[in-house]
């Protein structure tokens, strides 16, 4: 130990001296962070961190807390190399260092297969690895810098994910995440390892997406996205998992960011909180259009009003105890009046208000060098109210209500995860999660047969959902890794449960080549409203037949192949098969209705768990990571998606677009004199998707009934044209002493393509309202960090 401390002192003095000798007038910044053992989460003392290609060498050695700091790193793109005796070397490429903020990152390292005391093992890993070492298939990590860089993402991680193979967003403009032919309602959102409600503004009941994400990219750290065969710790998900991480604030100095865009005004602040390396970071955003409307600059109906706040507080209590407190909240509202384009007559009036909030507390306890205990508690609340009114026959400016709802849901969650690293080959994780779900829900809808407004839902109460999991990571050989385990998901509302075994393997068959396999069972609870719909029995009484619905379930199988084509280029292919079962379908032998085709605000129907579904396909990805200012990602997915309702006929789902092709690329150019530190960047994303499916209208029946009627014997038989969506962003970034400025224009659907994606019946005019894909949507933003 004395020798290690002496080496640490000597090396840090050396790094400090060479940095002092090489100091110049160029703009520089500091890089600092923590280095931890990947499995035990304990700090690694004496690890070496070096800026690759620096001359003179810039680097640092971690101290007793695993902390490091590299001073006076020239701004721009840099790559770090991390080494530690007995651990696999790690390369961290393309970190964007600017003059305004110190760069803070947490790094995990994997112990070598055989414990080697005197040498450093050459790494086999690259940027394609994910943060969660238990996820061996269908997983990808992404950085906050990618969220800001990819064209058309609007700094939204959900829109960023649509660049990945097998993933698409809604063509109407929402950021719904449609994965491998599944409804977006199968997505699980996690923040800091804790399940959270849908983090989007203007979100309807049951949805997992929305027009605008409430989580600011200013707050995000590197995160993971999974599209199938999830690791045992992930439960209550059928189609995908967003495992979002918040970054820690700067514990040494205060830093600020101000952003102004057509989407909102952002204010962010971070800094030290105490003398023990504690920190805070917070971001507040307010709708730009709402401010302009209140100032009288704009004057039009349907102004979207929203604001959100995110914070993260990190407090080390001692060498082994660390706590963090985080929160996310947002409120949004919009009021619209739809009018006939020819006559200007009012057709419909809608009002919508929603809010969501979550606050969490986490305690990390390093029991010893090989064990840890992570415990958490969180509280979340969502509310939603909406009304739909139609003009009266007597007066076009007077309205009758045909729909209204008022939903409030609360979530109390607590749980713990115990992890133990036996040696470099074996690690286990054991965990439990308790969810208390409260609800107060009212919904009224118009009954056109009875010509009156009727109650469809009125329930107040609570239920519990219990989860538990066990995971074993076993490195069978140096080239073969296995993760196995099981997840339990139980709902006390009707005593339904699901036991879900899971297995994943990764075999490095040769240098830079790997085969992977993953399989397992998964389940998800539907929105509480689905279980609690009220149905009139015709004798003055009401029943709730859906209360006995089982959890919706799915089996996933994935086979993958990965190959490094060079130091910066990576190819990946995956073949998958998903079997969905116990899916809620309408309890009618002639019905074609299945909840697999819904994303939000479901129609009240009597349901049973007799439905099934199948998704299968192949995905290809070729990616060059950012190198010398250039990057690209090309992905292709060809797939089929089917469902079977109560009538026993297998049909294509609403999400069976058959194929998704994406190309993303960009280039950074240094412009002007070198001392100006100015960069021009150009990014593009081009997407081609198969046409969106929808159920055609039955116009004669709609006119006769006085409400929309669809040809339910021909579900999703109508189809839009293929969807072509080209996005483009261009901007400049300039570093000045202690400040970084960025100006960017981001245009979604730059060619303004307009494919028809849905039709609706307008009762007042007895006409068809056509919905096209989101047209050209430009946003311009200016950001200054200091």
């Amino acid at each position: 130990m004395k020798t290690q401390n002496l080496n640490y002192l000597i090396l840090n003095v050396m790094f400090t001296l060479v940095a002092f000798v090489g100091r110049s007038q160029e703009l520089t910044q500091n890089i600092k962070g923590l280095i931890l053992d990947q499995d035990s989460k304990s700090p690694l003392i004496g690890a070496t961190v070096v800026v690759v290609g620096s001359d003179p060498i810039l680097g640092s050695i971690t101290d007793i807390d695993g902390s490091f700091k590299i001073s006076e790193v020239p701004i721009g793109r840099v790559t770090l190399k991390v080494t530690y005796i007995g651990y696999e070397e790690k390369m961290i490429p393309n970190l964007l260092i600017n003059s305004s903020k110190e760069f803070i990152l947490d790094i995990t390292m994997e112990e070598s297969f055989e414990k080697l005391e005197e040498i450093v093992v050459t790494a086999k890993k690259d940027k394609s690895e994910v943060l969660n070492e238990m996820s061996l298939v269908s997983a990808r990590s992404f950085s906050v810098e990618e969220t800001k860089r990819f064209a058309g993402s609007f700094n939204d991680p959900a829109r960023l994910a649509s660049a990945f193979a097998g993933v698409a967003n809604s063509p109407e403009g929402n950021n719904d995440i449609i994965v491998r032919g599944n409804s977006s309602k199968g997505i699980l959102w996690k923040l800091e390892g804790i399940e959270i409600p849908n983090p989007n503004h203007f979100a309807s009941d049951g949805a997992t997406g929305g027009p605008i994400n409430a989580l600011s990219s200013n707050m995000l750290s590197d995160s993971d996205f999974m599209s199938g065969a999830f690791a045992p710790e992930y439960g209550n998900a059928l189609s995908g998992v967003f495992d979002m991480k918040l970054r820690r604030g700067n514990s040494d100095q205060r830093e600020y960011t101000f952003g102004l865009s057509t989407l909102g005004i952002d204010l962010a602040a971070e800094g030290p909180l105490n003398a023990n390396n504690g920190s805070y970071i917070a971001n507040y955003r307010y709708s730009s259009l709402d401010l302009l409307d209140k100032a009288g600059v704009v004057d039009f109906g349907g102004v979207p009003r929203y604001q959100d706040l995110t914070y993260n507080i990190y407090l080390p209590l001692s060498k082994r105890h660390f706590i963090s407190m985080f929160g996310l909240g947002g409120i949004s509202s919009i009021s619209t009046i739809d009018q006939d384009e020819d006559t200007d007559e009012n057709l419909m009036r809608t009002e919508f208000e929603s809010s969501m909030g979550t606050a969490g507390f986490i305690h990390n306890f390093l029991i010893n060098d090989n064990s840890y205990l992570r415990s958490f508690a969180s509280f979340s609340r969502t509310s939603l109210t909406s009304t739909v009114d139609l003009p009266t026959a007597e007066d076009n400016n007077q309205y009758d209500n045909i729909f209204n709802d008022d939903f409030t849901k609360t979530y109390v969650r607590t749980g713990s995860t115990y992890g133990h690293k036996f040696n470099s080959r074996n690690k286990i994780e054991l965990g439990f999660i308790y969810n208390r779900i409260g609800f107060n829900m009212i919904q009224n809808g118009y009954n056109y047969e009875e010509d009156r407004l009727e109650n469809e839902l009125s329930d107040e109460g609570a239920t519990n959902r219990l989860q538990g999991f066990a995971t074993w990571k076993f490195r069978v050989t140096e080239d073969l890794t296995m993760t196995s385990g099981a997840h339990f998901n139980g709902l006390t509302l009707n005593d339904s449960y699901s036991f879900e075994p899971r297995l994943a393997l990764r075999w490095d068959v040769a240098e830079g080549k790997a085969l992977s396999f993953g399989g397992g069972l998964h389940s998800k609870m539907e929105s509480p409203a689905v279980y609690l719909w009220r149905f009139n029995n015709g004798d003055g009484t009401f029943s709730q037949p859906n209360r006995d619905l089982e959890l919706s379930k799915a089996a996933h199988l994935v086979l993958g192949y990965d190959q490094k084509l060079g130091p910066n280029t990576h190819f990946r292919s995956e073949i998958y098969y998903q079997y969905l079962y116990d899916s809620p379908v309408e309890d009618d032998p002639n019905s074609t209705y299945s909840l697999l085709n819904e994303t939000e605000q479901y129609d009240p129907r009597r349901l049973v768990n007799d439905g099934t579904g199948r998704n299968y396909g192949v995905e290809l990805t070729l990616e060059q990571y950012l190198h010398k200012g250039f990057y690209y990602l090309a992905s292709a997915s060809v797939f089929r998606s089917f469902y079977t309702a109560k009538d026993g006929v297998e049909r294509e789902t609403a999400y069976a677009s058959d194929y998704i092709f994406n190309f993303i690329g960009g280039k950074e150019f240094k412009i002007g004199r070198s001392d100006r530190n100015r960069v021009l960047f150009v990014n593009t994303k081009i997407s081609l998707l198969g046409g969106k499916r929808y159920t055609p209208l039955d116009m004669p029946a709609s006119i006769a009934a006085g409400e929309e009627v669809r040809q339910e014997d021909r579900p999703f038989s109508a189809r839009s044209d293929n969807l072509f969506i080209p996005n483009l962003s261009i901007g400049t970034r300039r570093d000045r002493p202690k400040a970084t400025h960025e100006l960017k224009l981001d245009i979604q659907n730059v060619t303004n393509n307009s494919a028809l994606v849905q039709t609706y019946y307008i009762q007042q005019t007895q006409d068809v309202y056509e919905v096209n894909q989101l047209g050209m949507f430009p946003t311009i933003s200016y950001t200054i960090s200091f």
Side-chain angles (χ1 to χ4, degrees):
M1 186 67 179
K2 291 181 179 179
T3 302
Q4 189 179 49
N5 287 338
L6 180 60
N7 290 338
Y8 163 75
L9 178 62
I10 293 173
L11 286 170
N12 260 331
V13 170
M14 289 175 58
F15 283 131
T16 302
L17 285 174
V18 297
F20 177 79
V21 171
R23 185 178 301 161
S24 67
Q25 296 301 312
E26 65 180 339
L27 295 180
T28 63
Q29 188 53 272
N30 302 326
I31 302 176
K32 61 184 182 180
L34 296 172
I35 300 181
L36 307 175
D37 181 287
Q38 177 178 267
D39 294 324
S40 69
K41 313 305 180 187
S42 59
L44 297 181
I45 305 170
T48 303
V49 190
V50 175
V51 178
V52 175
S54 56
D55 185 17
I57 296 175
L58 299 174
S60 179
I61 305 295
T62 55
D63 61 16
I64 195 171
D65 297 320
S67 301
F68 71 92
K69 182 176 182 178
I70 307 175
S71 301
E72 300 193 356
V73 179
I75 64 170
R77 300 278 180 182
V78 303
T79 296
L80 297 184
K81 181 171 73 173
V82 188
T83 56
Y84 188 63
I85 293 175
Y87 281 69
E88 294 186 357
E89 175 188 285
K90 192 161 191 175
M91 303 289 287
I92 307 173
N94 302 313
L95 302 180
L96 179 58
I97 311 302
N98 59 48
S99 60
S100 60
K101 289 177 177 287
E102 293 186 323
F103 197 97
I104 305 171
L105 72 164
D106 295 338
I107 303 170
T108 60
M109 299 188 71
E110 184 175 26
E111 188 177 356
S112 61
F113 182 73
E114 298 292 344
K115 181 71 173 178
L116 303 173
E117 300 294 345
E118 299 299 333
I119 68 172
V120 174
V121 180
T122 301
K124 295 182 179 179
K125 299 184 181 297
D126 57 28
K127 189 180 179 297
S128 64
E129 70 179 27
V130 294
L131 301 179
N132 189 334
E133 75 275 11
M134 300 296 187
S135 298
L136 302 183
V137 297
S138 298
R140 191 192 192 281
S141 66
F142 61 93
S143 67
V144 62
E145 194 269 331
E146 288 175 317
T147 304
K148 296 178 178 180
R149 177 172 16 116
F150 284 15
S153 66
F154 298 154
N155 298 345
D156 180 352
R159 297 186 191 276
L160 166 78
S162 67
F164 305 154
V167 184
N169 289 142
S170 168
E172 290 96 326
N174 275 7
N175 64 5
D176 297 334
I177 307 168
I178 302 167
V179 183
R180 293 177 171 175
N182 288 284
S183 166
S184 59
K185 68 183 178 66
I187 292 289
L188 168 68
W189 285 94
K190 301 192 79 172
L191 185 61
E192 292 294 281
I194 303 173
E195 181 177 348
I196 63 171
N198 180 3
N200 285 281
H201 290 296
F202 306 102
S204 300
D205 181 61
T208 60
I212 301 169
N213 200 306
L215 184 57
S216 170
S217 61
N218 291 328
M219 298 291 299
L220 291 178
S221 182
D222 291 354
S223 303
D224 285 340
F225 176 74
M226 277 72 72
S227 57
F230 318 124
E233 70 182 84
Y234 298 114
N236 203 40
L238 290 180
S239 62
V241 176
F242 251 116
D243 195 355
M244 311 294 295
K245 306 296 183 184
L246 297 174
R247 67 183 184 91
R248 290 184 289 116
N250 196 324
S251 59
D252 293 327
Q253 64 185 36
R254 289 184 173 83
E255 297 172 340
Y256 306 92
T257 298
F258 171 77
L260 174 63
S261 76
T262 50
L263 293 179
I265 296 176
D266 282 85
L267 298 170
E270 60 183 288
L273 203 56
N274 59 18
N276 197 27
N277 291 320
S279 65
Y280 71 89
I281 182 171
N283 187 93
Y284 174 74
R285 177 175 58 176
Y286 198 95
S287 165
S288 299
L289 287 177
D290 190 13
L291 287 176
L292 293 174
D293 178 63
K294 290 179 177 178
V297 178
V298 297
D299 183 16
F300 61 89
V303 172
R305 310 181 190 278
Y306 56 89
Q307 54 186 310
D308 48 67
L309 173 69
T310 311
Y311 66 88
N312 188 29
I313 298 173
Y314 175 71
L315 290 174
L317 301 180
S318 66
K319 300 295 184 183
R320 295 193 176 275
H321 292 271
F322 311 84
I323 64 172
S324 60
M325 294 171 282
F326 71 92
L328 165 66
I331 57 176
S332 53
S333 64
I334 188 169
S335 299
T336 63
I337 296 179
D338 296 330
Q339 294 182 320
D340 188 282
E341 294 181 356
D342 298 324
T343 65
D344 289 336
E345 288 189 352
N346 296 330
L347 300 178
M348 181 184 298
R349 182 178 66 184
T350 60
E351 294 186 1
F352 183 95
E353 295 182 5
S354 67
S355 66
M356 67 81 57
T358 187
F361 174 89
I362 300 171
H363 175 228
N364 287 300
F365 173 36
L366 298 180
I367 301 172
N368 53 47
D369 289 344
N370 294 312
S371 303
Y372 64 89
L373 181 67
R374 181 181 187 274
S375 302
F376 73 87
S378 71
F379 175 80
S380 303
R381 183 182 185 274
T382 65
S383 67
L384 161 69
T385 61
S386 64
T387 61
V388 179
D389 304 322
L390 295 181
T392 64
E394 296 79 16
D395 187 344
N396 189 249
N397 293 311
Q398 298 295 318
Y399 294 88
D400 288 330
N401 180 243
I402 63 167
F403 176 87
N404 64 79
D405 61 5
D406 188 349
F407 288 7
T408 299
K409 290 180 282 188
T410 58
Y411 305 86
V412 176
R413 294 187 171 97
T414 186
S416 291
T417 298
Y418 169 76
H420 180 74
K421 175 184 176 181
F422 294 95
N423 48 48
S424 62
R425 300 176 61 184
N426 292 274
K427 175 192 176 178
I428 63 168
E429 284 186 345
L430 305 173
F432 78 91
I433 305 169
Y434 169 74
N435 304 267
R436 177 70 171 178
I437 306 169
F439 47 84
N440 186 356
M441 301 179 293
I442 298 174
Q443 179 169 309
N444 300 297
Y446 202 82
N447 185 329
Y448 285 89
E449 293 181 357
E450 300 292 333
D451 195 26
R452 65 185 181 190
L453 195 68
E454 290 186 347
N455 178 257
E456 299 170 334
L457 174 62
S458 180
D459 214 317
E460 182 178 4
T463 187
N464 304 305
R465 186 163 54 81
L466 308 175
Q467 296 173 258
F469 64 89
T471 308
W472 174 36
K473 176 187 173 185
F474 176 41
R475 299 184 69 183
V476 184
T477 68
E478 187 175 3
D479 300 319
L480 179 62
T481 301
M482 177 190 75
T483 60
S484 61
H487 193 99
F488 175 84
N489 195 14
L491 179 63
T492 63
L493 179 71
N494 52 25
D495 295 328
S496 63
Y497 67 91
S498 175
F499 179 75
E500 303 158 10
R502 302 176 191 177
L503 173 70
L505 298 166
R506 180 182 172 89
W507 178 28
D508 294 312
V509 296
E511 183 68 28
K513 300 178 181 180
L515 292 172
S516 57
F517 166 81
L521 303 182
H522 310 274
S523 67
K524 185 173 178 63
M525 174 187 175
E526 301 291 347
S527 169
V530 173
Y531 301 91
L532 302 174
W533 293 124
R534 284 161 41 100
F535 297 92
N536 194 327
N537 297 323
D539 58 0
T541 63
F542 292 85
S543 61
Q544 294 177 309
N546 296 350
R547 197 179 185 93
D548 295 327
L549 284 175
E550 299 280 333
L551 297 169
S552 301
K553 304 180 183 70
H556 291 188
L557 291 174
V558 180
L559 180 64
Y561 172 73
D562 290 76
Q563 181 174 350
K564 290 181 64 176
L565 302 179
N568 302 294
T569 308
H570 176 251
F571 171 77
R572 168 179 292 178
S573 63
E574 286 192 336
I575 300 173
Y576 66 88
Y577 179 85
Q578 300 176 346
Y579 176 69
L580 290 73
Y581 60 102
D582 284 349
S583 303
V585 294
E586 186 171 19
D587 191 13
D588 180 345
N590 299 313
S591 174
T592 63
Y593 180 85
S594 171
L595 214 58
L596 291 177
N597 297 304
E598 300 287 358
T599 60
E600 59 186 6
Q601 282 192 322
Y602 323 123
D603 292 332
R605 301 188 187 227
R606 299 173 186 266
L607 304 173
V608 290
N609 291 107
D610 292 344
T612 59
R614 294 189 301 139
N615 302 314
Y616 58 88
V618 59
E619 298 170 352
L620 306 173
T621 301
L622 177 65
E623 182 172 11
Q624 176 178 300
Y625 309 124
L626 188 66
H627 179 61
K628 295 183 177 179
F630 175 69
Y631 74 96
Y632 66 81
L633 186 156
S635 65
S637 176
V638 180
F639 64 98
R640 303 297 302 275
S641 179
F642 300 96
Y643 81 99
T644 302
K646 187 75 170 179
D647 67 350
V649 179
E650 187 176 63
R651 298 178 174 87
E652 290 177 300
T653 70
Y655 315 103
S657 63
D658 298 338
Y659 60 85
I660 305 170
F661 300 131
N662 287 309
F663 175 81
I664 291 178
K667 174 68 176 175
E668 294 181 342
F669 306 89
K670 293 183 179 180
I671 57 176
R673 299 199 312 264
S674 60
D675 61 345
R676 291 294 184 93
N677 300 300
R678 181 177 292 168
V679 173
L680 170 71
F681 53 85
V682 180
N683 302 292
T684 187
K685 176 188 176 186
I686 301 173
S687 300
L688 179 64
L689 296 77
K692 184 179 183 296
R693 297 178 184 273
Y694 58 95
T695 302
L697 291 170
D698 187 333
M699 287 300 294
S702 297
I703 294 172
E707 63 174 329
E708 182 179 276
V709 179
R710 295 189 179 269
Q711 301 177 39
E712 294 199 6
D713 59 333
R714 300 176 55 216
F716 313 109
S717 58
R719 193 169 187 182
S720 74
D721 293 334
N722 296 335
L723 298 165
F724 179 65
I725 311 171
N727 302 327
L728 176 69
S729 70
I730 183 170
T732 63
R733 181 176 59 251
R734 184 176 183 183
D735 284 284
R736 295 178 178 272
K738 302 299 182 181
T740 301
H741 304 258
E742 181 176 288
L743 179 66
K744 181 172 70 172
L745 173 65
D746 197 345
I747 307 174
Q748 192 171 81
N749 193 4
V750 67
T751 56
N752 199 31
N753 291 307
S754 185
L756 174 69
V757 296
Q758 184 59 280
T759 59
Y760 295 98
Y761 175 71
I762 304 300
Q763 178 180 339
Q764 288 70 29
T765 62
Q766 297 185 352
D767 203 354
V768 176
Y769 177 70
E770 296 183 344
V771 178
N772 297 321
Q773 73 178 93
L774 180 68
M776 184 170 65
F777 189 85
T779 64
I780 187 168
S781 62
Y782 168 74
T783 304
I784 178 173
S785 301
F786 55 95

